[in-house]
Amino acid sequence: MADAAAIAERTFREESGRALATLARLLGDLSAAEDAVQEAFVEAMRTWPVRGVPDRPGAWITTTARNRAVDRARREAGRGRREREASTVWSLPAEPDPPPSPVEEVLVPVDDDQLRLIFTCCHPALAPAAQVGLTLRLVCGLRISEIARAFLQPEATVAQRLSRAKAKIRAAGIPFRVPPAHLLPERVPPVLACIYLVFTEGYSASAGDALVRHELCDEAVRLARLLVELMPDEPEAHGLAALVLLQDSRRAARLSPAGDIVLLEDQDRSRWDRDRIAAGLGALGRATRLAGGRGPGPYTLQAAIAAAHARAPSWAATDWPAIAARYADLAAVAPSPVVELNRAVAVSFAAGPEAGLAVLDAVAGDRRLARTHLVPAARADMLRRLGRPAEAADAYRTAAARARTGPERAFFARRLAECEGAGG
Amino acid sequence: MQYVALLGTDERTAPAPGSDEYNANLGGYAAFSERNGAAIVDAAPLQRSDTATTIRHTDDPPLVTDGPYAESAEAIGGYYVLEAETLDDAIELARQIPVAEVGWVSIRPAVGWWDYTGGEGAEGADRWLALMYGKEEPDSGPGTDAWAEMAAAHQAFVASQADARTITAGGAVHPLDTATTVRVRDGEVLVTDGPYAESAEVTGGLYVLSAADRDAAVALASRIPSRPGGAVEVRPLHVLPAG
């Protein structure tokens, strides 16, 4: 019985995102769609574990939720007080016409609706944190408590952020649609950024003592694959999928059994997920082909860097000149101090730590990096490799002071101890 | 639906209304109007923020001081009321407003915008913009009892001035959470959530007043319904050169 309930719940979760997207279009309102799916969930948990999961669960959820929504509209219209609001919000006829009867025919979720929902959730007029929250809640079907846990934020904060975002979508008239072609170049990047933010938050948690939040990594991989399915001609959708798959292939090897970071350099490459790598390389190939003469976009370039690591049999046998060149390409299409910093690291392996330090010095003063551990950590490593342990130790101390998570601090402390030992 | 777009600039670098440089920029606005005339419900430029008078309802009687509500180099220099089907369409319009390339355009969905006099003011009077400011109370947006109460007070205020034709237009806007800021830099459109500056953003709405002089405009604006702690900034509209 417990198993039946668990299967019912999992199936519902997997199917509910598509159903919700179609309901949002039918009802013209996200909150109404969410409430309707929630009512369908209650009904499913009552009946599925007993009678079994229906053959087409997506159609069952969509139809049941739509019928519940119509029931609810009728109740609210009957109450009279909010009848006008209900009739406009729900796009159902106003009184005196009664709301239509629950439909007899089966409603099936429509794929395009999911893409509409993603563009609505990732609308640039919503703050990035709200975009991520809405996407996880509405597209992935995560509960608010799960989102709160993943981001280590109080549930009330997440709930309030989401309800504000939904209120803005409604009041400000954020449309439920896929943007027209001429707007796609500026509207696709926030969608990609949102999905990648879910991934990086999972892969390299920004707070707390757990370095990896697996559920967020999994959701990001799912979202990236979904976007490829929905936008098969968009090169950067494939690029993002490639990037996320290739980085995620290293997830298991990234942490020691004790939960410490294992640097790429020291990872056991036999623990890399070969299926993920193959899928990522395939996606990278498609991204590059689709980009054609336009040249690869920022996600495709980052995926190409991840692919160079994935293909290398060892750290020493990595194609560092290629990686440094891709970072230079990336700096040209998406300039950022972090890209320059990573290029410095690549150059330090391609041409030696002194050449790397020269690139690093050029970017070290950037105020956007001032409070992070990134510059001192990179500098410390280059100095250590140059055999200058005293200077390296200083840099590790700065890096440790700025680190945000426990395992990061522990790693710098370990390196610091090694340098102090070597420095005598 | 309708949107109120507030145009913001840095007054330290933006040309002063009436200056040659300011007038030279008007061509861009004329071209914007020509392209989008059907979508423009109302619009006007403002004089600079140092011409403002602010009425603060922190005490009874309210405190009247010279100067804007928020002392800041970044100030509102004009407004548009736009008709657009969705926020995307409003953003499409906002990005074309010339100020978006040097300053910003803050878009707020309007609950409504009303023209009370068909554009006519009192005879021989000047136009003034009254902008409502102050901390937003939670749960006071459209649909709440608090909103309905304020709306009724505003209706009574407008009705009291109908014969004198001292209120030519007015609008109510949705809460701050619904604001979107649009800027264009190097040809790239930057869209962000929220108002440009939370502390200096209109809450509730705005009125266009018709009054013979500043004293009359301030006296009228001090009667605009306000919650305790709210404020109203009154500023003369800038009259564009003819032609």
Side-chain angles (χ1 to χ4, degrees):
Chain A
M1 193 63 199
D3 273 358
I7 290 167
E9 182 165 352
R10 195 174 63 239
T11 311
F12 193 97
R13 285 271 303 282
E14 283 166 6
E15 298 283 342
S16 66
R18 301 174 67 217
L20 183 128
T22 292
L23 283 155
R25 174 174 54 80
L26 292 173
L27 303 177
D29 184 87
L30 283 176
S31 298
E34 223 184 327
D35 290 347
V37 170
Q38 183 54 37
E39 289 193 45
F41 176 73
V42 172
E43 171 104 10
M45 288 308 103
R46 204 165 51 79
T47 56
W48 290 10
V50 184
R51 290 185 221 154
V53 173
D55 288 345
R56 293 193 297 160
W60 186 96
I61 296 168
T62 313
T63 308
T64 306
R66 148 84 197 200
N67 290 345
R68 291 291 167 279
V70 171
D71 290 346
R72 182 190 285 238
R74 179 179 282 149
R75 281 201 306 277
E76 299 207 348
R79 249 184 258 146
R81 180 164 162 263
R82 306 201 319 165
E83 66 200 33
R84 238 191 80 226
E85 191 185 331
S87 64
T88 49
V89 166
W90 296 65
S91 309
L92 295 174
E95 288 203 311
D97 297 338
S101 305
V103 280
E104 298 298 327
E105 90 263 30
V106 171
L107 291 169
V108 180
V110 176
D111 277 353
D112 278 0
D113 289 334
Q114 252 184 318
L115 192 57
R116 287 189 189 99
L117 182 60
I118 290 173
F119 274 105
T120 304
C121 291
C122 298
H123 196 281
L126 299 170
Q131 293 175 14
V132 166
L134 280 178
T135 303
L136 289 174
R137 173 78 196 96
L138 300 178
V139 182
C140 302
L142 259 59
R143 284 189 284 263
I144 284 175
S145 57
E146 293 170 315
I147 300 169
R149 202 165 53 235
F151 287 95
L152 302 176
Q153 286 165 340
E155 250 181 82
T157 307
V158 174
Q160 192 187 33
R161 183 181 299 139
L162 293 192
S163 86
R164 271 189 190 163
K166 282 181 282 183
K168 178 167 183 179
I169 289 171
R170 196 169 30 221
I174 290 178
F176 185 67
R177 68 167 190 195
V178 177
H182 75 277
L183 280 181
L184 283 179
E186 64 192 58
R187 295 290 309 281
V188 170
V191 172
L192 301 170
C194 174
I195 297 174
Y196 194 50
L197 190 59
V198 172
F199 180 77
T200 52
E201 194 55 41
Y203 195 68
S204 179
S206 63
D209 286 333
L211 262 175
V212 176
R213 299 184 187 282
H214 297 281
E215 65 279 21
L216 287 180
C217 295
D218 291 337
E219 292 301 341
V221 169
R222 242 184 82 200
L223 279 168
R225 286 185 145 150
L226 174 64
L227 192 68
V228 162
E229 234 174 81
L230 298 173
M231 300 191 84
D233 300 326
E234 172 56 48
E236 280 284 86
H238 292 273
L240 174 70
L243 175 60
V244 166
L245 286 163
L246 288 166
Q247 290 193 333
D248 197 54
S249 72
R250 306 197 290 261
R251 200 201 307 175
R254 231 178 129 244
L255 290 186
S256 74
D260 295 326
I261 304 182
V262 182
L263 290 186
L264 190 51
E265 183 175 0
D266 304 320
Q267 284 175 16
D268 173 1
R269 293 182 182 225
S270 71
R271 293 183 65 204
W272 290 359
D273 183 334
R274 294 290 144 192
D275 291 340
R276 281 265 201 271
I277 290 175
L281 293 175
L284 176 60
R286 285 187 290 279
T288 311
R289 272 196 305 282
L290 283 166
R294 282 177 290 170
Y299 290 100
T300 306
L301 285 167
Q302 292 176 76
I305 292 162
H309 288 300
R311 288 194 192 100
S314 70
W315 180 254
T318 303
D319 187 353
W320 289 108
I323 290 178
R326 289 298 82 72
Y327 274 120
D329 294 342
L330 187 57
V333 296
S336 109
V338 175
V339 171
E340 272 304 285
L341 179 127
N342 286 325
R343 189 170 76 83
V345 173
V347 166
S348 81
F349 289 108
E354 265 163 349
L357 277 174
V359 179
L360 190 65
D361 283 339
V363 75
D366 194 295
R367 61 181 171 77
R368 286 167 290 183
L369 294 175
R371 286 186 190 165
T372 73
H373 64 274
L374 299 171
V375 170
R379 184 184 303 282
D381 189 59
M382 292 180 206
L383 290 167
R384 179 183 64 84
R385 282 152 52 204
L386 280 171
R388 288 152 67 177
E391 290 164 80
D394 275 347
Y396 277 125
R397 267 187 282 274
T398 310
R402 292 184 190 169
R404 290 171 307 178
T405 63
E408 281 171 352
R409 264 189 300 279
F411 171 78
F412 295 133
R414 248 182 0 258
R415 277 287 159 92
L416 176 60
E418 286 165 25
C419 287
E420 283 171 336
Chain B
M1 56 192 286
Q2 288 172 334
Y3 296 85
V4 171
L6 298 173
L7 317 190
T9 56
D10 183 337
E11 290 192 335
R12 290 169 304 190
T13 51
S19 66
D20 289 346
E21 199 189 335
Y22 183 92
N23 289 339
N25 288 342
L26 292 176
Y29 288 88
F32 171 70
S33 299
E34 199 150 308
R35 275 197 305 275
N36 304 292
I40 300 172
V41 178
D42 197 350
L46 289 176
Q47 292 190 26
R48 300 201 96 154
S49 64
D50 58 8
T51 65
T53 303
T54 299
I55 301 151
R56 288 184 168 80
H57 293 270
T58 33
D59 280 309
D60 193 24
L63 180 68
V64 179
T65 53
D66 281 343
Y69 170 72
E71 292 284 355
S72 154
E74 311 272 5
I76 294 169
Y79 73 91
Y80 278 93
V81 180
L82 303 168
E83 178 70 48
E85 202 172 314
T86 67
L87 183 63
D88 278 0
D89 300 326
I91 291 169
E92 274 299 293
L93 291 166
R95 72 199 285 178
Q96 299 174 48
I97 300 174
V99 77
E101 298 196 15
V102 288
W104 78 93
V105 179
S106 168
I107 311 176
R108 289 276 283 287
V111 177
W113 178 264
W114 300 276
D115 176 354
Y116 297 115
T117 62
E120 300 282 316
E123 189 136 346
D126 291 329
R127 294 297 170 87
W128 309 76
L129 192 68
L131 298 148
M132 299 179 333
Y133 287 107
K135 198 172 164 290
E136 227 167 41
E137 298 295 323
D139 295 321
S140 62
T144 62
D145 292 345
W147 177 276
E149 207 173 294
M150 281 308 280
H154 281 283
Q155 274 165 17
F157 169 64
V158 170
S160 75
Q161 299 299 312
D163 293 340
R165 301 170 80 79
T166 52
I167 307 173
T168 65
V173 292
H174 280 275
L176 279 175
D177 283 346
T178 64
T180 300
T181 300
V182 178
R183 289 171 296 155
V184 178
R185 296 291 183 272
D186 301 323
E188 194 184 338
V189 183
L190 307 169
V191 176
T192 45
D193 183 28
Y196 183 80
E198 188 104 10
S199 58
E201 181 68 37
V202 169
T203 51
L206 53 163
Y207 281 105
V208 185
L209 306 179
S210 169
D213 56 29
R214 175 176 302 271
D215 287 349
V218 170
L220 182 57
S222 64
R223 295 177 54 197
I224 294 173
S226 170
R227 291 202 182 87
V232 177
E233 180 184 320
V234 183
R235 250 206 275 172
L237 298 191
H238 173 63
V239 181
L240 295 175

